[in-house]
Amino acid sequence: MTKQNVVPVEAVAAIAVAAVAGSSPLFPYPPPRAYGRRKYLSQLELGGGRIGAWVESMKASSPTHAKATAALPSGDAAVDEQSAWVVRHPSALNKFEQIMSASKGKQIVMFMDYDGTLSPIVDDPDSAFMSDAMREAVRDVARYFPTAIVSGRCLDKVINFVRLADLYYAGSHGMDIKGPTKPRHDKARAKPVLFQPASEFLPMIDAVHKALLERTKSTPGARVENNKFCVSVHFRCVDEKSWSSLFEQVRCVLKEYPKLRLTQGRKVLEIRPTIKWDKGKALEFLLESLGFANCTNVMPVYIGDDRTDEDAFKVLRDRGQGFGILVSKFPKETNATYSLQEPSEVKDFLVRLVEWKRLSMKACSKVQVA
């Protein structure tokens, strides 16, 4: 793809303002619920005495962890909390007809995370394979709707996992975006998609990756993954007693790189450039690239399970257009409108979406013939 096919950063600046101005609410959203913790610490805090807070956050990053489970309500209180949360974030399967009713006359655009959404969370990041049934469901969805995979993985890795050609892919939390060679659904004013807003950080990311490999090699179970525009330090297989020392190792490396920031996902610490770019910005960029930035007849749907997906959920909530679906078995603070419990339910939702589209097209054909 030639250089003139790259959408410039300046073209993205007005996306959010234009989208909000040209859209109308699809759902009566309640006010967003506030988060109790910030998503990352500043470099000053990394150099201070906040290690304990980070380790506590690491312990709570997965509800299956003993500490996180102990913090959850039990007995009747747990039932009440779960019920209250489901009222706020009902199952997208149970509310499927309502969702489809709201989409009438609108173009659905699908966005999905990969790990924990299309594939299960596993101990070995390199073994997070999606099932053949899930791949078929995603392939069918992409036949009828513009579809994008937005992942923290590097672009090449997520493409190799999914192995579908007709999709848009956004790797490294949206910092590496690529569209299909022959798009199915682009509108006339759509732009060719190839975008890397953090390309200047590549040498720095490579250096940090090498430094972290060396620094963390004394911690059994630690996995350092180069995701091109970010570095992931997986601690899922690290003994909890070593989490403090692992965080200290990461902190010591980051002290030398003030242009990078630390964020946290599910059993993973992630080092990313400080640019104002995330999965929410990637969603807006892709809508703009597809020609839907100023459209009122578009309904973006974003499905994800991770803290980093909250940026995309918030964008949709702020736009008052489309909705987010959180994949989680446990109540948690989220800007998503609906919920699904696990990847198998994501597959069921995608299958129902395709069936609904096929029936709608068949009904429309009958009306035209009549």
Side-chain angles (χ1 to χ4, degrees), residues 112 138-139 142 147-149 162 164-169 178-181:
M112 292 172 280
V138 175
R139 180 189 292 113
T147 302
I149 308 298
V162 178
L164 294 174
D166 293 331
L167 276 60
Y168 294 81
Y169 291 93
K178 183 178 181 181
T181 305

Side-chain angles (χ1 to χ4, degrees), residues 277-343:
W277 197 265
D278 51 39
K279 290 183 176 182
K281 294 292 186 183
L283 181 153
E284 292 181 307
F285 172 82
L286 283 167
L287 285 176
E288 196 268 350
S289 299
L290 287 163
F292 294 117
N294 300 311
C295 294
T296 58
N297 63 339
V298 62
M299 191 168 84
V301 178
Y302 190 105
I303 309 177
D305 74 304
D306 196 72
R307 291 184 183 185
T308 58
D309 298 311
E310 290 296 331
D311 295 314
F313 296 155
K314 186 176 186 301
V315 163
L316 295 181
R317 186 178 288 276
D318 290 347
R319 287 170 67 102
Q321 188 179 45
F323 57 87
I325 301 176
L326 175 69
V327 183
S328 176
K329 289 184 176 180
F330 300 91
K332 60 174 70 173
E333 299 290 351
T334 182
N335 282 292
T337 305
Y338 298 102
S339 64
L340 293 168
Q341 289 202 2
E342 55 192 358

Side-chain angles (χ1 to χ4, degrees), residues 46 79 88 113 145 181 258 274 279 294 330 335 348 367:
L46 282 174
V79 174
R88 296 195 301 270
D113 184 21
F145 312 102
T181 305
T274 53
K279 290 183 176 182
N294 300 311
F330 300 91
N335 282 292
D348 292 343
V367 170

Side-chain angles (χ1 to χ4, degrees), residues 203-213 231 253-254 257 260 271:
M204 190 181 300
I205 292 294
D206 285 338
V208 168
H209 175 243
K210 293 176 183 177
L212 285 171
L213 280 174
V231 178
V253 171
L254 279 188
Y257 297 92
L260 299 178
I271 295 88

